[in-house]
């Protein structure tokens, strides 16, 4: 097992900056904004050949209430999971009562922890660290996380307490199915994530914008590996004013691109709104497998349920390939059925398609319904083959394929989807027109004809001039 290191401390002491340095990524949102991190985030770090797991957490101030108390709960859970804890403090602000309280808690939990005095850039290191000796912590490191100063020496020293972990070159088994849970703010995404996991893994609070970052969570269910991605809510662009929210939306859109399957969560109490349609269009454009989850279904009347079902059927005809589930994430109603649709969408999106099977389906479709005539010539489709996965891409070769109408393309998509039994995934068809093998020959013939005409014209002129000389 890899060593697990948790980063804890007051808000805005640089935990996410250190997390990004250790993982060599930009996975954690970083801004000069107190309380930006709310859920615990996992990443894999590496110093030399030594890998380890690092956990970023929200800030603990000691006087949490409301949503801050939920954030503190996430930090305390990370402490329990960790093999070692790095307690960060701010060198520029000096010792704070919250630092004293956190150090006392770590001692009570009998956790191995080390004091990390961050932000020593631009200040005298001896003066900056002297204030923190009052905590009585023997192991102390002075670093500047934003510049990477002192980090390698600190982790090298920290890992000496753990056995050297040798990496295995063996295949770790099938890859996990990445599932992104997306939707507007406050539709119940984090509640659904916790329900799917069976534990309070992410912060849930009755407040829009609770989740600010995309949280990747690996787990296993019925011997199938999944990576669940909880994302920030996406509002209409005109309503987005805070810089932090703009970055959150970018992380959500990236999570959609990273996912194999997207679960789009909608609010039954508010009905289908335009922003739901915009998000749905983005998911289809990204080509990801799709499952629709209408949440808070248990809190509405029968008449409103019928209205919502009618609206979904009318407005989502372009996404009829996606399964729709009516659920209650809070009470768990219908949530378990999501896995069947997620697995079906993933298998359809990543299935290997043979050229022979695709060509037979194409021939059958053309036999049943011929493509239209273009300038008196029939469009010819010769064969098809697979061009990619997630989404499935089918490449059709033939003549004049660039002139295939949109309606005929939709007909082919419908036939391929039906015959291949594709569920929950968009399907792309790409048309390619082959080179005409006689084009070069025809061009050469045309050139010879031009030369021949010139020769004939020249001979004709000579004959006329000879006739004039004879007449004289």
């Amino acid at each position: 097992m890899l060593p697990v290191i948790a980063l804890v401390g007051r808000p805005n002491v640089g935990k996410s900056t250190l997390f990004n340095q250790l993982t060599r990524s930009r996975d954690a949102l970083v801004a000069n904004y107190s309380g930006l991190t709310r859920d615990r985030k996992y990443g894999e770090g590496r110093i030399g050949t030594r890998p380890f797991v690092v956990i970023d957490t929200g800030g603990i101030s000691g006087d949490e209430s409301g949503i801050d108390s939920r954030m503190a709960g996430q930090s305390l859970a990370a402490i329990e999971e960790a093999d070692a804890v790095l307690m960060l403090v701010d060198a520029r602000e000096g010792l704070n009562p919250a630092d004293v309280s956190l150090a006392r808690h770590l001692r009570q939990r009998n956790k191995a922890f080390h004091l990390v005095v961050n932000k020593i850039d631009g200040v005298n290191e001896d003066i900056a660290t002297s204030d923190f000796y009052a905590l009585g912590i023997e192991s102390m490191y002075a670093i500047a996380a934003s510049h990477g100063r002192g980090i390698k020496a600190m982790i090298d020293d920290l890992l000496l307490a753990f056995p050297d972990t040798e990496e295995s070159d063996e295949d770790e088994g099938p890859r996990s199915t990445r599932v992104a849970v997306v939707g507007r703010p406050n539709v119940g995404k984090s509640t659904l994530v916790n329900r799917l996991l069976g534990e309070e893994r992410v912060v849930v609070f009755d407040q829009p914008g609770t989740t600010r970052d995309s949280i990747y969570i690996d787990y296993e269910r019925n011997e199938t590996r999944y990576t669940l991605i909880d994302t920030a809510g996406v509002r209409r662009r005109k309503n987005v004013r805070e810089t932090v929210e703009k970055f959150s939306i970018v992380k959500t859109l990236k999570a959609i691109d990273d996912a194999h399957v997207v679960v789009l969560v909608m609010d039954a109490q508010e009905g289908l709104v335009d922003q739901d349609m915009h998000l749905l269009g983005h998911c289809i454009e990204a080509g990801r497998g799709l499952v629709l989850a209408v949440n808070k279904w248990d809190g509405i009347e029968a008449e409103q349920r019928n209205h919502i079902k009618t609206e979904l059927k009318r407005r989502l005809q372009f996404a009829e390939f996606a399964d729709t589930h009516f659920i209650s994430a809070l009470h768990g109603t219908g949530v378990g059925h999501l896995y069947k649709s997620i697995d079906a969408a993933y298998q359809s999106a990543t299935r290997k398609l043979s050229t022979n099977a695709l060509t037979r389906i194409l021939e059958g479709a053309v036999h049943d319904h011929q493509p239209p005539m273009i300038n008196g010539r029939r469009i010819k489709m010769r064969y098809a083959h697979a061009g990619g996965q997630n989404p499935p891409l089918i490449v059709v070769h033939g003549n004049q394929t660039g002139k295939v109408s949109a309606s005929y393309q939709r007909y082919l998509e419908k036939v391929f989807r039906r015959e291949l039994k594709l569920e929950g995934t968009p399907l792309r068809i790409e048309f390619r027109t082959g080179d005409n093998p006689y084009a070069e020959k025809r061009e050469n013939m045309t050139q010879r004809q031009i030369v021949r005409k010139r020769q004939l014209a020249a001979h004709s002129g000579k004959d006329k001039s000879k006739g004039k000389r004879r007449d004289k």
Side-chain angles (χ1 to χ4, degrees):
M1 297 291 292
L2 300 181
V4 179
I5 302 171
L7 310 179
V8 300
R10 291 186 294 110
N12 213 31
V13 294
K15 298 181 295 297
S16 294
T17 302
L18 179 56
F19 177 91
N20 287 344
Q21 287 280 7
L22 293 174
T23 59
R24 299 181 183 179
S25 70
R26 295 183 179 179
D27 289 346
L29 283 178
V30 176
N32 188 21
Y33 188 98
S34 180
L36 182 61
T37 302
R38 287 178 171 171
D39 300 288
R40 60 189 192 271
K41 178 186 282 289
Y42 294 75
E44 184 171 334
R46 181 185 304 276
I47 294 293
T49 60
R50 297 291 305 274
F52 55 91
V53 174
V54 59
I55 312 175
D56 186 22
T57 67
I60 305 177
S61 61
D63 57 351
E64 290 84 9
S65 62
I67 191 172
D68 290 336
S69 64
R70 308 287 179 93
M71 294 162 50
Q74 291 285 312
S75 300
L76 298 178
I79 292 172
E80 295 303 315
E81 294 176 355
D83 298 311
V85 177
L86 294 180
M87 175 182 157
L88 273 72
V89 293
D90 192 327
R92 299 182 181 184
E93 293 187 6
L95 186 61
N96 187 286
D99 300 327
V100 178
S101 176
L102 180 56
R104 184 184 305 115
H105 174 81
L106 291 171
R107 286 193 176 98
Q108 290 172 350
R109 303 306 301 175
N110 198 26
K111 278 287 179 180
F113 72 101
H114 309 266
L115 186 66
V116 180
V117 182
N118 190 25
K119 305 182 183 180
I120 62 167
D121 45 310
V123 298
N124 184 290
E125 181 177 329
D126 293 332
I127 296 176
T129 57
S130 61
D131 202 22
F132 297 98
Y133 284 104
L135 291 173
I137 301 173
E138 182 178 352
S139 176
M140 182 188 299
Y141 301 95
I143 69 167
S146 59
H147 298 87
R149 176 180 166 188
I151 294 176
K152 184 179 184 303
M154 175 182 69
I155 298 299
D156 279 339
D157 189 33
L158 191 67
L159 293 178
L160 291 175
F162 301 96
D164 194 358
T165 305
E166 295 184 3
E167 292 185 280
S168 174
D169 296 327
E170 298 178 1
D171 187 7
E172 296 182 354
R175 63 178 180 175
S176 64
T177 304
R178 294 191 297 274
V179 183
V181 180
V182 304
R184 294 181 293 113
N186 215 33
V187 296
K189 299 182 297 297
S190 295
T191 304
L192 177 58
V193 167
N194 286 339
R195 180 64 64 178
L196 288 168
L197 292 170
E199 65 171 327
E200 294 296 317
R201 173 59 182 81
V202 293
V203 172
V204 177
F205 197 70
D206 188 16
Q207 171 184 312
T210 299
T211 303
R212 286 176 170 155
D213 205 349
S214 296
I215 307 300
Y216 289 65
I217 308 162
D218 296 316
Y219 68 107
E220 189 171 309
R221 180 181 185 271
N222 295 336
E223 299 183 354
T224 301
R225 296 169 61 187
Y226 297 91
T227 299
L228 204 55
I229 312 173
D230 186 23
T231 65
V234 179
R235 297 194 294 167
R236 296 181 65 181
R237 184 178 298 177
K238 70 175 185 179
N239 296 327
V240 178
R241 295 181 177 87
E242 290 187 9
T243 303
V244 169
E245 187 173 359
K246 293 178 182 179
F247 281 113
S248 297
I249 292 173
V250 170
K251 300 278 276 189
T252 296
L253 299 181
K254 181 180 181 297
I256 293 174
D257 291 335
D258 286 347
H260 296 117
V261 180
V262 175
V263 177
L264 177 61
V265 184
M266 295 171 282
D267 191 333
Q269 296 179 356
E270 296 184 12
L272 188 62
V273 300
D274 289 341
Q275 184 63 6
D276 293 329
M277 302 295 289
H278 291 317
L279 271 172
L280 178 59
H282 181 83
C283 294
I284 294 176
E285 185 178 341
R288 298 299 170 251
L290 183 64
V291 178
L292 305 179
V294 183
N295 192 25
K296 307 180 185 178
W297 191 246
D298 54 337
I300 59 176
E301 301 295 333
E303 184 178 351
Q304 189 176 357
R305 291 185 179 188
N306 293 332
H307 174 71
I308 291 174
K309 288 181 178 179
T310 302
E311 282 292 287
L312 290 172
K313 186 175 181 180
R314 180 179 67 86
R315 300 183 65 184
L316 301 185
Q317 292 182 4
F318 65 98
E320 58 184 2
F321 60 85
D323 288 341
T324 302
H325 294 265
F326 302 94
I327 67 169
S328 170
L330 183 62
H331 300 102
T333 308
V335 172
H337 299 299
L338 289 173
Y339 280 106
K340 181 179 178 182
S341 296
I342 290 171
D343 293 339
Y346 174 73
Q347 291 165 9
S348 294
T350 58
R351 185 192 306 173
K352 293 183 179 180
L353 306 175
S354 72
T355 300
N356 289 339
L358 294 177
T359 302
R360 282 198 303 270
I361 295 171
L362 176 65
E363 291 172 348
V366 172
H367 180 269
D368 293 340
H369 179 31
Q370 288 274 340
M373 301 280 286
I374 302 294
N375 297 328
R377 296 174 58 198
R378 180 76 67 184
I379 295 176
K380 293 183 180 180
M381 298 185 183
R382 304 186 183 281
Y383 69 97
H385 66 85
Q389 296 178 339
N390 202 207
L393 172 63
I394 298 174
V395 182
V396 176
H397 293 261
N399 294 341
Q400 300 190 96
T401 55
K403 299 177 181 178
V404 174
S405 64
S407 60
Y408 195 80
Q409 181 173 342
R410 287 194 296 271
Y411 160 72
L412 289 179
E413 288 178 5
K414 186 175 181 180
V415 172
F416 277 116
R417 185 181 298 281
R418 182 188 68 233
E419 296 299 320
L420 294 170
K421 295 182 174 58
L422 298 178
E423 302 177 40
T425 179
L427 175 65
R428 304 270 172 83
I429 297 181
E430 180 180 311
F431 296 97
R432 294 181 186 175
T433 298
D435 296 332
N436 187 344
Y438 301 102
E440 185 177 352
K441 183 177 180 180
R442 184 180 299 168
E443 184 179 350
N444 292 336
M445 289 178 63
T446 303
Q447 292 293 333
R448 287 198 296 270
Q449 288 173 354
I450 293 173
V451 173
R452 182 60 177 165
K453 285 181 179 180
R454 289 176 179 173
Q455 291 174 344
L456 291 174
H459 283 299
S460 176
K462 290 179 181 179
D463 292 342
K464 288 181 180 180
S465 62
K466 287 180 181 179
K468 289 179 181 179
R469 285 196 294 270
R470 286 180 190 144
D471 292 339
K472 291 180 180 179

